[in-house]
PDB file of all heavy atoms in Angstrom:
ATOM      1  N   GLY Y 139     -13.826 -14.773  -0.020  1.00 82.00           N
ATOM      2  CA  GLY Y 139     -14.188 -13.908  -1.178  1.00 82.00           C
ATOM      3  C   GLY Y 139     -15.556 -13.442  -1.145  1.00 82.00           C
ATOM      4  O   GLY Y 139     -15.805 -12.217  -1.304  1.00 82.00           O
ATOM      5  N   LEU Y 140     -16.494 -14.340  -0.804  1.00 83.00           N
ATOM      6  CA  LEU Y 140     -17.929 -13.898  -0.763  1.00 83.00           C
ATOM      7  C   LEU Y 140     -18.176 -12.817   0.376  1.00 83.00           C
ATOM      8  O   LEU Y 140     -18.814 -11.786   0.145  1.00 83.00           O
ATOM      9  CB  LEU Y 140     -18.821 -15.126  -0.399  1.00 83.00           C
ATOM     10  CG  LEU Y 140     -19.133 -16.069  -1.564  1.00 83.00           C
ATOM     11  CD1 LEU Y 140     -19.994 -17.156  -1.057  1.00 83.00           C
ATOM     12  CD2 LEU Y 140     -19.862 -15.300  -2.642  1.00 83.00           C
ATOM     13  N   LEU Y 141     -17.581 -13.071   1.503  1.00 83.00           N
ATOM     14  CA  LEU Y 141     -17.675 -12.147   2.582  1.00 83.00           C
ATOM     15  C   LEU Y 141     -17.128 -10.778   2.288  1.00 83.00           C
ATOM     16  O   LEU Y 141     -17.629  -9.734   2.565  1.00 83.00           O
ATOM     17  CB  LEU Y 141     -17.000 -12.696   3.824  1.00 83.00           C
ATOM     18  CG  LEU Y 141     -17.867 -13.442   4.833  1.00 83.00           C
ATOM     19  CD1 LEU Y 141     -16.979 -13.878   6.006  1.00 83.00           C
ATOM     20  CD2 LEU Y 141     -18.935 -12.605   5.387  1.00 83.00           C
ATOM     21  N   PHE Y 142     -15.903 -10.869   1.491  1.00 84.00           N
ATOM     22  CA  PHE Y 142     -15.303  -9.638   1.134  1.00 84.00           C
ATOM     23  C   PHE Y 142     -16.178  -8.721   0.282  1.00 84.00           C
ATOM     24  O   PHE Y 142     -16.264  -7.515   0.423  1.00 84.00           O
ATOM     25  CB  PHE Y 142     -13.944  -9.945   0.455  1.00 84.00           C
ATOM     26  CG  PHE Y 142     -13.404  -8.778  -0.281  1.00 84.00           C
ATOM     27  CD1 PHE Y 142     -12.847  -7.719   0.371  1.00 84.00           C
ATOM     28  CD2 PHE Y 142     -13.365  -8.724  -1.702  1.00 84.00           C
ATOM     29  CE1 PHE Y 142     -12.326  -6.558  -0.289  1.00 84.00           C
ATOM     30  CE2 PHE Y 142     -12.866  -7.621  -2.333  1.00 84.00           C
ATOM     31  CZ  PHE Y 142     -12.361  -6.618  -1.612  1.00 84.00           C
ATOM     32  N   VAL Y 143     -16.934  -9.372  -0.676  1.00 84.00           N
ATOM     33  CA  VAL Y 143     -17.763  -8.559  -1.556  1.00 84.00           C
ATOM     34  C   VAL Y 143     -18.706  -7.736  -0.758  1.00 84.00           C
ATOM     35  O   VAL Y 143     -18.946  -6.539  -1.042  1.00 84.00           O
ATOM     36  CB  VAL Y 143     -18.500  -9.528  -2.519  1.00 84.00           C
ATOM     37  CG1 VAL Y 143     -19.523  -8.821  -3.252  1.00 84.00           C
ATOM     38  CG2 VAL Y 143     -17.529 -10.213  -3.415  1.00 84.00           C
ATOM     39  N   ILE Y 144     -19.255  -8.322   0.372  1.00 82.00           N
ATOM     40  CA  ILE Y 144     -20.204  -7.556   1.159  1.00 82.00           C
ATOM     41  C   ILE Y 144     -19.580  -6.305   1.723  1.00 82.00           C
ATOM     42  O   ILE Y 144     -20.058  -5.235   1.662  1.00 82.00           O
ATOM     43  CB  ILE Y 144     -20.776  -8.413   2.289  1.00 82.00           C
ATOM     44  CG1 ILE Y 144     -21.486  -9.665   1.714  1.00 82.00           C
ATOM     45  CG2 ILE Y 144     -21.676  -7.614   3.228  1.00 82.00           C
ATOM     46  CD1 ILE Y 144     -21.766 -10.743   2.711  1.00 82.00           C
ATOM     47  N   PHE Y 145     -18.324  -6.473   2.319  1.00 82.00           N
ATOM     48  CA  PHE Y 145     -17.701  -5.407   2.959  1.00 82.00           C
ATOM     49  C   PHE Y 145     -17.119  -4.350   1.942  1.00 82.00           C
ATOM     50  O   PHE Y 145     -17.088  -3.178   2.243  1.00 82.00           O
ATOM     51  CB  PHE Y 145     -16.562  -5.901   3.870  1.00 82.00           C
ATOM     52  CG  PHE Y 145     -17.056  -6.340   5.155  1.00 82.00           C
ATOM     53  CD1 PHE Y 145     -17.416  -7.647   5.343  1.00 82.00           C
ATOM     54  CD2 PHE Y 145     -17.313  -5.464   6.199  1.00 82.00           C
ATOM     55  CE1 PHE Y 145     -17.938  -8.090   6.433  1.00 82.00           C
ATOM     56  CE2 PHE Y 145     -17.807  -5.878   7.436  1.00 82.00           C
ATOM     57  CZ  PHE Y 145     -18.154  -7.261   7.576  1.00 82.00           C
ATOM     58  N   ASP Y 146     -16.817  -4.785   0.765  1.00 81.00           N
ATOM     59  CA  ASP Y 146     -16.387  -3.876  -0.272  1.00 81.00           C
ATOM     60  C   ASP Y 146     -17.537  -3.055  -0.738  1.00 81.00           C
ATOM     61  O   ASP Y 146     -17.385  -1.818  -0.915  1.00 81.00           O
ATOM     62  CB  ASP Y 146     -15.743  -4.661  -1.449  1.00 81.00           C
ATOM     63  CG  ASP Y 146     -14.567  -3.939  -2.016  1.00 81.00           C
ATOM     64  OD1 ASP Y 146     -13.876  -3.183  -1.223  1.00 81.00           O
ATOM     65  OD2 ASP Y 146     -14.236  -4.072  -3.173  1.00 81.00           O
ATOM     66  N   ILE Y 147     -18.631  -3.615  -0.924  1.00 82.00           N
ATOM     67  CA  ILE Y 147     -19.832  -2.876  -1.403  1.00 82.00           C
ATOM     68  C   ILE Y 147     -20.312  -1.879  -0.303  1.00 82.00           C
ATOM     69  O   ILE Y 147     -20.604  -0.723  -0.586  1.00 82.00           O
ATOM     70  CB  ILE Y 147     -20.995  -3.750  -1.793  1.00 82.00           C
ATOM     71  CG1 ILE Y 147     -20.592  -4.541  -3.115  1.00 82.00           C
ATOM     72  CG2 ILE Y 147     -22.283  -3.019  -2.005  1.00 82.00           C
ATOM     73  CD1 ILE Y 147     -21.590  -5.435  -3.581  1.00 82.00           C
ATOM     74  N   GLU Y 148     -20.145  -2.312   0.876  1.00 82.00           N
ATOM     75  CA  GLU Y 148     -20.397  -1.448   2.046  1.00 82.00           C
ATOM     76  C   GLU Y 148     -19.554  -0.166   1.981  1.00 82.00           C
ATOM     77  O   GLU Y 148     -20.010   0.928   2.166  1.00 82.00           O
ATOM     78  CB  GLU Y 148     -20.100  -2.172   3.309  1.00 82.00           C
ATOM     79  CG  GLU Y 148     -20.222  -1.341   4.552  1.00 82.00           C
ATOM     80  CD  GLU Y 148     -19.501  -2.022   5.746  1.00 82.00           C
ATOM     81  OE1 GLU Y 148     -18.992  -3.108   5.551  1.00 82.00           O
ATOM     82  OE2 GLU Y 148     -19.539  -1.445   6.705  1.00 82.00           O
ATOM     83  N   ALA Y 149     -18.207  -0.362   1.627  1.00 80.00           N
ATOM     84  CA  ALA Y 149     -17.351   0.783   1.544  1.00 80.00           C
ATOM     85  C   ALA Y 149     -17.887   1.754   0.425  1.00 80.00           C
ATOM     86  O   ALA Y 149     -17.764   2.954   0.643  1.00 80.00           O
ATOM     87  CB  ALA Y 149     -15.963   0.246   1.193  1.00 80.00           C
ATOM     88  N   VAL Y 150     -18.422   1.258  -0.645  1.00 81.00           N
ATOM     89  CA  VAL Y 150     -18.952   2.095  -1.682  1.00 81.00           C
ATOM     90  C   VAL Y 150     -19.998   3.008  -1.158  1.00 81.00           C
ATOM     91  O   VAL Y 150     -20.063   4.231  -1.468  1.00 81.00           O
ATOM     92  CB  VAL Y 150     -19.510   1.208  -2.871  1.00 81.00           C
ATOM     93  CG1 VAL Y 150     -20.207   2.056  -3.831  1.00 81.00           C
ATOM     94  CG2 VAL Y 150     -18.394   0.421  -3.461  1.00 81.00           C
ATOM     95  N   PHE Y 151     -20.802   2.554  -0.182  1.00 85.00           N
ATOM     96  CA  PHE Y 151     -21.848   3.378   0.412  1.00 85.00           C
ATOM     97  C   PHE Y 151     -21.323   4.302   1.465  1.00 85.00           C
ATOM     98  O   PHE Y 151     -21.736   5.403   1.653  1.00 85.00           O
ATOM     99  CB  PHE Y 151     -22.957   2.458   1.090  1.00 85.00           C
ATOM    100  CG  PHE Y 151     -23.830   1.812   0.023  1.00 85.00           C
ATOM    101  CD1 PHE Y 151     -23.844   0.347   0.082  1.00 85.00           C
ATOM    102  CD2 PHE Y 151     -24.603   2.528  -0.846  1.00 85.00           C
ATOM    103  CE1 PHE Y 151     -24.647  -0.258  -0.969  1.00 85.00           C
ATOM    104  CE2 PHE Y 151     -25.264   1.875  -1.808  1.00 85.00           C
ATOM    105  CZ  PHE Y 151     -25.329   0.495  -1.843  1.00 85.00           C
ATOM    106  N   ILE Y 152     -20.328   3.777   2.253  1.00 87.00           N
ATOM    107  CA  ILE Y 152     -19.847   4.526   3.420  1.00 87.00           C
ATOM    108  C   ILE Y 152     -18.993   5.788   3.041  1.00 87.00           C
ATOM    109  O   ILE Y 152     -19.128   6.762   3.635  1.00 87.00           O
ATOM    110  CB  ILE Y 152     -19.136   3.587   4.400  1.00 87.00           C
ATOM    111  CG1 ILE Y 152     -20.133   2.614   5.088  1.00 87.00           C
ATOM    112  CG2 ILE Y 152     -18.461   4.436   5.417  1.00 87.00           C
ATOM    113  CD1 ILE Y 152     -19.503   1.817   6.049  1.00 87.00           C
TER     114      ILE Y 152
END
Side-chain angles (χ1 to χ4, degrees):
Chain Y
L140 281 179
L141 267 180
F142 165 71
V143 171
I144 300 167
F145 279 91
D146 216 30
I147 292 180
E148 173 199 1
V150 172
F151 289 119
I152 290 184

